[in-house]
Amino acid sequence: MTMADELAVYDGRVMIGTTRRNGPHAFVAKGLDGKRLGTFPDQAAATHAVRVASRPAGWVNLA
């Protein structure tokens, strides 16, 4: 099983950012504005960072 080198991240039908492979064990997350959100050890963590960064500043996770 192989993973895509670059993956678009969507919230419903709206694209909110991308993740890109940066070596064998590193993934870079970027927002729609092209701002780099960081480097993560797996694609799930990078996708999560994109989702969190796309939320409004006052959003609080109450779960």
Side-chain angles (χ1 to χ4, degrees):
M1 184 174 166
T2 61
M3 296 180 77
D5 286 338
E6 187 164 5
L7 179 72
V9 181
Y10 287 86
D11 184 11
R13 294 184 178 182
V14 179
M15 184 175 160
I16 57 174
T18 62
T19 64
R20 176 180 287 241
R21 183 182 296 273
N22 189 23
H25 302 291
F27 292 86
V28 175
K30 287 189 178 182
L32 261 186
D33 57 358
K35 182 178 170 185
R36 184 176 170 155
L37 302 172
T39 302
F40 300 89
D42 58 24
Q43 200 162 25
T47 302
H48 179 72
V50 171
R51 291 185 190 281
V52 170
S54 73
R55 299 288 182 194
W59 180 78
V60 177
N61 184 2
L62 300 175

